[in-house]
Amino acid sequence: MELTLLVSLENCLLGILIFCFLIQLCFSLFVHLKLALVKVDEIPDRAAKPLSVVICARNETENLKQYLPVVLQQNYANYEVVVVNDRSWDGTKDLLEEFSKQYKHLKIVTVNEGSKFIAGKKFAVTMGIKATSNEWLVFTDADCMPASPNWLLGMQQPDDDQTEIVLGYSPYLKKKGLLNALIRFETFFTAVNYLSFALKGMPYMGVGRNMAYKKSLFFNNKGFAAHMHIPSGDDDLFVNAHAHHNNTAIRINKDAQVWSVPNTSFGAYLRQKKRHFGAGKLYKAKHKFILSAQIMVQFLFYVVFALLLFFKTTFYPALVILALSIIVRCFIYPRLLKRLSYADLSWWFPVLDLLLFIFLVFNGFVSIFVKKIQWK
């Protein structure tokens, strides 16, 4: 009887592993592969319509000094840059005033401490949008640097007036250490997911470091009113609520990317991911189901694989399935890593995939018990 139960358990676990492997294949071959094969749009050679860039900054003097000139010196015929100084005390005000003397298309909006202040970044973003003069809005952050002078040409309003949202891509700068590799790899998989699903006609998020949308879309839908009660979500929750297959496009040309400064401490990175985790709870039900299924399948795959290694009869079959999983994905993701400016991580793909899984599980548990989050 005990032998029969043991065999049944082994078969059951092996069946779960195979099922998880097949689900992995579905995501890899029918969703992510589309991004790997899609033709990358060329950057237009001219500016079609005027646009406004919106940047929110809180105590970002050093980053603004280094990166804002790159934004202000774009190869674009008619644009303005609106920088919101959100309650800074580090000299941001003086720096922006100096920049405004040199760059006439820089507009400064100041948010002061007061009773009307609403927690988080959304109030600052809203004030920035209200100050813009143009219909097409491009968003980035103070610690971000456009990859080229043609960034805005790549993120400008498409000729198709039906498109109301453009999702861009923002890789993190390469630094030394395992933490930096993990941050960049996690950013890569997040981008692969939201860009691939957008291509499949199911956009569910974007990142505020590099995205664009129409001003009318923002005000016609009452801005962030639906989720103003949480600090995060000025980018992904807005896209989740208003993006659909007819009004959303992506831009991944290397000249249209925006490089970002990564966290240098695990604690800061963990706090950032907790903010994102909190916003994800408000996604549409179908998006939460798909994303949860991805994580759950990955979790089951590794846990069941580890369990099967303890049985003689399933030891080698489990290793074969793991090898097949890695081989199939190694035909897809290294190509995507190169396309998304992370080619140096290609050789570390299997290791980083496991480390990312461990981190996501850890972050999920931490987010359950630690509730308090803020922007900066």
Side-chain angles (χ1 to χ4, degrees):
M1 178 66 73
E2 291 183 1
L3 181 60
T4 303
L5 289 174
L6 183 61
V7 172
S8 298
L9 176 61
E10 292 174 0
N11 291 335
C12 181
L13 290 174
L14 190 60
I16 293 174
L17 187 68
I18 294 172
F19 173 77
C20 292
F21 170 61
L22 293 176
I23 297 298
Q24 279 184 349
L25 284 184
C26 288
F27 280 111
S28 298
L29 298 178
F30 299 110
V31 181
H32 297 164
L33 183 59
K34 188 175 181 67
L35 181 64
L37 299 178
V38 69
K39 182 181 178 182
V40 178
D41 293 335
E42 295 294 327
I43 296 289
D45 58 5
R46 63 182 181 84
K49 298 178 181 179
L51 59 79
S52 299
V53 179
V54 179
I55 300 173
C56 295
R58 188 179 186 200
N59 298 325
E60 296 279 10
T61 300
E62 293 305 316
N63 285 326
L64 288 170
K65 190 181 300 182
Q66 185 173 0
Y67 303 124
L68 185 56
V70 184
V71 177
L72 291 165
Q73 296 168 13
Q74 284 290 298
N75 179 28
Y76 202 86
N78 185 2
Y79 77 105
E80 64 178 2
V81 179
V82 178
V83 178
V84 183
N85 177 15
D86 184 17
R87 302 165 295 132
S88 300
W89 62 83
D90 69 337
T92 294
K93 178 178 180 293
D94 295 335
L95 178 67
L96 290 175
E97 288 178 352
E98 285 299 314
F99 274 133
S100 67
K101 295 175 184 178
Q102 182 179 357
Y103 301 100
K104 301 304 179 184
H105 57 302
L106 171 62
K107 185 182 295 185
I108 305 168
V109 177
T110 301
V111 176
N112 297 310
E113 294 282 4
S115 57
K116 293 183 179 181
F117 170 67
I118 301 173
K121 186 180 175 182
K122 292 172 186 170
F123 183 73
V125 175
T126 302
M127 295 300 292
I129 292 174
K130 286 183 177 180
T132 58
S133 306
N134 302 304
E135 168 70 353
W136 191 249
L137 311 177
V138 181
F139 297 86
T140 190
D141 287 340
D143 59 351
C144 295
M145 180 181 70
S148 79
N150 295 323
W151 167 55
L152 289 181
L153 286 173
M155 294 298 291
Q156 67 178 305
Q157 184 174 351
D159 294 333
D160 176 14
D161 198 55
Q162 184 176 257
T163 301
E164 298 178 292
I165 299 173
V166 168
L167 305 178
Y169 171 60
S170 178
Y172 279 115
L173 293 167
K174 181 181 179 181
K175 306 284 184 180
K176 292 181 179 180
L178 180 60
L179 177 62
N180 178 261
L182 179 63
I183 290 174
R184 292 191 295 135
F185 192 72
E186 186 271 333
T187 303
F188 161 75
F189 256 109
T190 299
V192 167
N193 238 17
Y194 79 75
L195 293 169
S196 297
F197 275 105
L199 282 175
K200 294 289 287 185
M202 192 187 294
Y204 70 87
M205 70 161 283
V207 292
R209 302 192 303 275
N210 192 16
M211 62 182 289
Y213 53 75
K214 288 183 177 180
K215 186 176 183 177
S216 56
L217 179 70
F218 182 82
F219 286 113
N220 290 343
N221 291 282
K222 300 181 180 180
F224 304 126
H227 44 83
M228 188 64 85
H229 59 289
I230 66 170
S232 58
D234 57 281
D235 46 9
D236 58 340
L237 285 180
F238 184 82
V239 172
N240 191 263
H242 307 301
H244 53 77
H245 68 284
N246 287 325
N247 76 340
T248 306
I250 71 167
R251 295 290 183 270
I252 58 173
N253 188 295
K254 289 187 182 296
D255 281 349
Q257 296 176 12
V258 172
W259 287 94
S260 303
V261 179
N263 287 306
T264 55
S265 73
F266 183 76
Y269 178 53
L270 196 61
R271 287 192 294 273
Q272 180 189 55
K273 300 319 296 179
K274 276 159 40 186
R275 289 197 300 270
H276 297 166
F277 185 84
K281 295 177 181 178
L282 297 181
Y283 284 7
K284 292 177 182 176
K286 62 181 179 180
H287 299 146
K288 287 194 291 186
F289 174 78
I290 291 173
L291 296 175
S292 297
Q294 275 188 302
I295 296 174
M296 185 58 66
V297 164
Q298 196 77 341
F299 176 81
L300 284 175
F301 183 84
Y302 282 118
V303 171
V304 172
F305 168 76
L307 291 174
L308 288 172
L309 296 182
F310 289 97
F311 303 103
K312 287 184 178 181
T313 56
T314 56
F315 182 88
Y316 289 109
L319 287 178
V320 169
I321 294 172
L322 176 65
L324 286 173
S325 173
I326 292 173
I327 290 170
V328 170
R329 289 184 293 160
C330 278
F331 278 110
I332 299 172
Y333 296 107
R335 177 169 182 167
L336 282 169
L337 282 162
K338 183 178 180 180
R339 173 164 280 191
L340 298 182
S341 303
Y342 285 153
D344 63 294
L345 297 179
S346 297
W347 291 103
W348 296 98
F349 168 73
V351 176
L352 290 171
D353 186 54
L354 177 59
L355 290 177
L356 177 60
F357 154 73
I358 295 172
F359 171 77
L360 291 176
V361 172
F362 174 75
N363 182 57
F365 280 113
V366 171
S367 299
I368 292 173
F369 298 105
V370 182
K371 301 296 183 182
K372 188 176 180 180
I373 54 175
Q374 59 184 20
W375 176 32
K376 287 186 179 181

